[in-house]
Amino acid sequence: MSASPEGVEAAGPGAGDLVLSFQRSFFTMGRMDSLPLPELEERLKNSDDSTLIQHILQQTVLHPLCNKYPPSVKYRRLFLAELIKKHEMTGAEPLDDLYDALGEVLRSEELKMCHKNYFLLNTTEWLAQPFQRTFGGQPQRRHKSILELGSGIGLVGITICKTCTPKQYIFSDCHPNVLQQLRTNILSNGLLLDSDTWNAKDCEVEVKNKYVSEENQGPEITVIGLDWSEVTQEQVELQPDIIIATDVIYDPEVVLCLVSVLEKFLISNERKEQGSVVYLASTVRNPETYHQFKMELDKVGIGHQVIPGPTRKIFPYNRCTEIELLKIVFAHHL
């Protein structure tokens, strides 16, 4: 889905990029206010040509990928409603394909699960930089253990496990349903889980490559339930070399719990003379909440250092959004 659809440039210069923007927003189920609707409206003001909307329709709702991995019915309905509004503003003849597509969606039954595609999280690209330095091409550094806080569906951790070579990777989250889906996603991506931490019947995924050679042995992968407000001593004793977290600073109510968790892990490793470092990548949605997090770190003597972001544009995302990557250690280690 990275190339402009054939013939779209007939709708004017840059039309291919506009269609591609709609396509990416549609398959990632982006918010309606994130769609490039103003640009579309501007292009349609002086034209009654339906070609551009037809291309957008073909590359979104009518795309073969939508049949295989459809976004939710509600999302498709809202998306089509916006396109219909923009088309009707032109005063052009009704576009039958638009109304046929809407009718098909309205007749569809909402499933328990829908499909949301990811071009990789915004923060994944930002985390790649320190991990490439840590693991890239240096075998002596590949024997690291990593703990991820708030793993969610596991996108970041799965990417690291498949592209880097840590010795151990520990996924963590608190909700049972999230943990179950997380295990399913890990297995679906050809990775092996510690057999003591999951039940195959819960995941309903065929485990492939159960027997692998020592040369091809991947990281030791574990999934644990970790509630930041009730961290056990056993969990603190995990002693990871590296702790990572992405997009976990979004609610003021969890800031204190997060800082407390980081402090406990850092203190435990410090006492055992096993220095650990935290990498935390955040989309700064609310500057006040983000500032509060940094202030709470300072209060307990935890220092933070901003790591410059990547300069290369690898993955598509809104680069106007502020993203920051922090390296977090005890202040006297900075």
Side-chain angles (χ1 to χ4, degrees), residues 101-312:
L102 180 61
E104 185 67 29
V105 169
L106 293 176
R107 290 191 294 270
S108 300
E109 181 180 352
E110 189 71 89
L111 303 175
K112 292 182 179 179
M113 294 183 64
C114 65
H115 296 270
K116 178 173 180 177
N117 292 271
Y118 290 88
F119 294 103
L120 288 188
L121 292 173
N122 303 1
T123 48
T124 302
E125 182 174 333
W126 286 62
L127 270 178
Q129 181 175 279
F131 278 98
Q132 286 172 351
R133 288 201 301 265
T134 301
F135 297 101
Q138 300 189 41
Q140 71 273 21
R141 293 188 178 181
R142 295 179 182 177
H143 303 291
K144 300 286 186 180
S145 61
I146 302 172
L147 167 65
E148 182 182 2
L149 301 176
S151 299
I153 62 171
L155 180 59
V156 173
I158 291 171
T159 302
I160 292 172
C161 287
K162 294 183 77 73
T163 58
C164 302
T165 51
K167 179 182 180 181
Q168 181 186 33
Y169 198 96
I170 305 169
F171 293 84
S172 75
D173 216 293
C174 64
H175 197 285
N177 291 344
V178 173
L179 294 172
Q180 181 176 330
Q181 185 62 52
L182 175 57
R183 294 186 184 98
T184 299
N185 291 346
I186 292 168
L187 294 170
S188 297
N189 280 275
L191 297 169
L192 296 182
L193 272 168
D194 182 344
S195 58
D196 294 333
T197 66
W198 66 286
N199 187 327
K201 293 181 180 179
D202 292 337
C203 297
E204 298 182 352
V205 173
E206 180 184 356
V207 181
K208 300 180 181 179
N209 304 321
K210 185 175 181 180
Y211 302 102
V212 293
S213 65
E214 186 174 345
E215 293 79 10
N216 296 324
Q217 183 69 50
E220 177 187 332
I221 298 176
T222 308
V223 174
I224 65 171
L226 197 158
D227 186 333
W228 296 350
S229 62
E230 300 177 357
V231 181
T232 66
Q233 186 59 37
E234 181 182 1
Q235 291 169 334
V236 172
E237 296 294 327
L238 289 171
Q239 297 181 344
D241 299 302
I242 299 170
I243 300 173
I244 69 169
T246 59
D247 276 338
V248 294
I249 307 173
Y250 53 86
D251 185 347
E253 294 184 5
V254 304
V255 165
L256 291 177
C257 291
L258 175 58
V259 172
S260 176
V261 168
L262 295 177
E263 183 184 19
K264 288 176 181 177
F265 277 108
L266 289 172
I267 288 176
S268 176
N269 284 14
E270 181 94 344
R271 286 173 178 168
K272 298 182 179 180
E273 298 182 353
Q274 179 183 338
S276 59
V277 61
V278 180
Y279 290 108
L280 195 149
S282 301
T283 301
V284 185
R285 295 180 175 84
N286 187 319
E288 292 183 3
T289 301
Y290 194 63
H291 178 68
Q292 179 191 350
F293 170 71
K294 289 183 175 181
M295 293 289 290
E296 295 298 333
L297 288 177
D298 291 339
K299 286 181 183 179
V300 296
I302 297 179
H304 60 271
Q305 172 186 339
V306 178
I307 297 178
T311 55
R312 291 187 302 162

Side-chain angles (χ1 to χ4, degrees), residues 13-67:
D17 291 337
L18 180 61
V19 172
L20 190 57
S21 294
F22 270 97
Q23 186 187 63
R24 287 172 174 167
S25 293
F26 175 79
F27 283 107
T28 56
M29 290 178 63
R31 292 163 51 100
M32 290 296 116
D33 58 10
S34 71
L35 295 173
L37 293 167
E39 184 177 345
L40 174 62
E41 183 177 342
E42 189 65 30
R43 284 176 172 271
L44 294 174
K45 274 183 179 179
N46 302 316
S47 172
D48 59 359
D49 188 2
S50 300
T51 302
L52 185 54
I53 289 183
Q54 182 71 50
H55 279 298
I56 293 172
L57 187 63
Q58 290 292 336
Q59 296 302 315
T60 53
V61 181
L62 300 184
H63 194 283
L65 187 62
C66 187
N67 292 328

